[in-house]
Amino acid sequence: MGIFNGAQQAIATKINKTSTLSNWSDWKWQLKNSISTVEQFEMLTGISFSTEEKEQLKKTTDKFPLSITPYYASLISKKNYEHDPVFKQSFANIHELNVLDTDLADPLSEDSDSPEEGITHRYPDRVLFHVSNVCAMYCRHCTRKRKVGDIDFVPSREQLQKGIDYIKRTPQVRDVLLSGGDPFMLPDSKIDWLLSELTAIPHVEVVRIGTRMPVVLPYRITDDLIKILKKYQPLWINTHFNHPREITSSAKEALAKLADGGFPLGNQSVLLANVNDCPRIMKNLVHKLVQNRVRPYYLYQCDLSEGLSHFRTPIGKGIEIMESLIGHTSGFARPTYVIDAPGGGGKIPVMPNYIISWSTHKVVLRNYEGVITTYKEPDHYENIFCDRDCENCNLDLKLEGSEEIEALGIERLLADSNDSISLIPENNERYNRREE
């Protein structure tokens, strides 16, 4: 993938003087050489901290471990590192030790909604399947900081089988989201097995994978991984870019592999103070995403997890950013701004209000420019009373796809979509002899 830039070459050489581009683009090499201490970070990046700062940072990393891939560390601007969005997302901050009374270890009550180990079943028709607690990088804004670095929980097949069995015996589950940690931290063989088990369940219609690999370790998106994933369509993949600077040439290559593999791609950003809380930054980010065939899916308000208070913005900032996107860029380039409700209430959309008022027959609306207009409601609308008697309903409740009309006769010979070259009358003696 690509070529060494100066920062990458410097870091790779400090790790091993014989390092080559093939080492750098080997995802397992990247993981083996992940930065896990402040001293290692200083040595590899050239950024240094005072003795007092290191003492404070040590307290932070003792509670919330540090892990940064050499690749992601190479994106940090050393001249302005304190304000660098890559640095802020990846390196420890003493403010993480400020735990407010309103902070929660499990803000989304995922553990409370867990009927089986590894499963969170909150919404009626879908489940979250935690398949690993390990990530290529420990993001400092992680909502699951309580699980970060739990190296004792890399589930075995037997543990994963419990989650699979729950899904098998719960027929209302049609959508399974693989999450973690990062599912792509699992070896290819386990990913292959896991997807084969899930897609064999008759009532599972779609499987999704949430991963930050294209952002923090794009080299993980190998040709071998793509071959495995392609066996299990429909498969949807959501990633997590927060800032335009993360969309590098290597990230673009990883996204292209996934898109060319036929996987719909989405992106879930988190609104982070002093990282991306700016309309200009977010607009540039969503534009770069759609250029790379990734649809902005969610913009999350930062959760109430422990140690994230320095990352949180007022909800008004998110509304301001959405105002800057609606009407000012393509509809498919706009994420849905959501608050994942504390206590397990699920995702609540929060949007600017475009309805000013309404009456029996009119709705008064405003557009993104401030133009105020009206929409005329129908004078006569007979609401369909639903008594759940579907067999006698006047609506067309045949919900399967319609059968396409097959071309017949001469039309069949003329159709480019049909390879017939002749029409044979029934009981033609010559053709009957051929079949004897």
Side-chain angles (χ1 to χ4, degrees), residues 411-436:
E411 180 188 6
R412 184 175 177 181
L413 298 181
L414 293 173
D416 292 331
S417 59
N418 196 295
D419 57 4
S420 299
I421 59 174
S422 61
L423 299 177
I424 312 301
E426 187 177 359
N427 295 323
N428 180 282
E429 292 185 7
R430 181 165 57 90
Y431 275 83
N432 287 340
R433 285 198 303 271
R434 289 183 181 181
E435 296 175 359
E436 291 177 354

Side-chain angles (χ1 to χ4, degrees), residues 19 48 93 111 115 171 175 192 194 210-211 216 230 287 290 301 308 346 358 377 382 401:
S19 294
S48 59
N93 189 311
D111 295 340
D175 180 349
D192 194 356
L194 184 58
T211 178
V216 301
K230 287 179 72 172
H287 286 175
V290 297
Q301 178 68 13
L308 300 190
W358 67 88
E377 295 274 53
E382 184 177 346

Side-chain angles (χ1 to χ4, degrees), residues 199-223:
T199 55
I201 301 173
H203 54 266
V204 172
E205 298 174 2
V206 64
V207 175
R208 294 182 283 161
I209 297 177
T211 178
R212 211 179 182 205
M213 287 296 190
V215 185
V216 301
L217 186 52
Y219 313 125
R220 175 63 181 103
I221 311 303
T222 62
D223 293 338

Side-chain angles (χ1 to χ4, degrees), residues 7-79:
Q8 292 170 346
Q9 181 68 68
I11 291 176
T13 302
K14 289 177 181 177
I15 293 173
N16 188 329
K17 291 183 178 180
T18 62
S19 294
T20 64
L21 178 58
S22 61
N23 294 135
W24 184 264
S25 57
D26 180 346
W27 69 277
K28 293 180 181 178
W29 181 93
Q30 287 274 337
L31 291 176
K32 181 180 178 181
N33 293 286
S34 289
I35 301 167
S36 58
T37 67
V38 175
E39 291 74 20
Q40 191 181 9
F41 180 85
E42 288 182 311
M43 186 270 291
L44 293 178
T45 65
I47 296 171
S48 59
F49 306 95
S50 68
T51 301
E52 183 180 352
E53 286 176 321
K54 282 193 278 191
E55 288 177 357
Q56 292 295 317
L57 290 169
K58 179 65 165 55
K59 293 178 182 178
T60 303
T61 56
D62 283 345
K63 183 171 184 178
F64 301 119
L66 180 72
S67 182
I68 314 172
T69 59
Y71 162 80
Y72 198 73
S74 75
L75 307 184
I76 297 172
S77 172
K78 292 191 291 185
K79 293 182 179 179

Side-chain angles (χ1 to χ4, degrees), residues 61-281:
T61 56
D62 283 345
K63 183 171 184 178
F64 301 119
L66 180 72
S67 182
I68 314 172
T69 59
Y71 162 80
Y72 198 73
S74 75
L75 307 184
I76 297 172
S77 172
K78 292 191 291 185
K79 293 182 179 179
N80 192 33
Y81 73 89
E82 290 179 321
H83 301 288
D84 185 90
V86 175
F87 176 82
K88 286 176 179 288
Q89 292 181 71
S90 60
F91 192 73
N93 189 311
I94 60 174
H95 294 302
E96 293 176 53
L97 297 177
N98 296 333
V99 178
L100 306 183
D101 291 341
T102 53
D103 287 354
L104 301 167
D106 181 16
L108 308 182
S109 295
E110 292 178 322
D111 295 340
S112 300
D113 284 329
S114 180
E116 185 61 74
E117 181 181 10
I119 295 287
T120 298
H121 192 170
R122 171 162 300 143
Y123 300 100
D125 67 337
R126 51 203 184 275
V127 297
L128 187 77
F129 194 176
H130 299 256
V131 297
S132 172
N133 277 353
V134 183
C135 293
M137 185 184 87
Y138 297 146
C139 302
R140 308 318 298 183
H141 58 277
C142 182
T143 192
R144 297 183 186 132
K145 287 177 82 79
R146 70 191 186 279
K147 293 178 177 287
V148 166
D150 184 1
I151 58 175
D152 294 327
F153 185 69
V154 179
S156 63
R157 288 198 180 193
E158 290 73 24
Q159 289 172 303
L160 291 174
Q161 189 65 54
K162 293 179 181 179
I164 294 169
D165 290 341
Y166 174 81
I167 295 168
K168 284 182 178 179
R169 64 176 184 265
T170 313
Q172 63 265 39
V173 174
R174 49 163 288 278
D175 180 349
V176 178
L177 171 58
L178 302 184
S179 186
D182 198 308
F184 286 159
M185 285 293 286
L186 299 176
D188 285 358
S189 59
K190 187 173 283 189
I191 293 172
D192 194 356
W193 168 79
L194 184 58
L195 291 175
S196 68
E197 290 290 315
L198 291 172
T199 55
I201 301 173
H203 54 266
V204 172
E205 298 174 2
V206 64
V207 175
R208 294 182 283 161
I209 297 177
T211 178
R212 211 179 182 205
M213 287 296 190
V215 185
V216 301
L217 186 52
Y219 313 125
R220 175 63 181 103
I221 311 303
T222 62
D223 293 338
D224 287 342
L225 178 62
I226 295 295
K227 288 178 183 177
I228 291 170
L229 300 179
K230 287 179 72 172
K231 296 191 295 182
Y232 302 108
Q233 300 281 23
L235 188 65
W236 294 62
I237 297 176
N238 280 331
T239 188
H240 179 177
F241 289 88
N242 285 329
H243 196 280
R245 290 217 11 242
E246 296 173 321
I247 304 181
T248 65
S249 58
S250 294
K252 290 178 181 178
E253 189 172 339
L255 293 173
K257 284 186 177 183
L258 291 168
D260 290 344
F263 312 110
L265 302 179
N267 187 73
Q268 301 182 151
S269 297
V270 179
L271 184 59
L272 301 170
N274 299 312
V275 172
N276 58 12
D277 53 336
C278 164
R280 178 179 171 184
I281 290 174

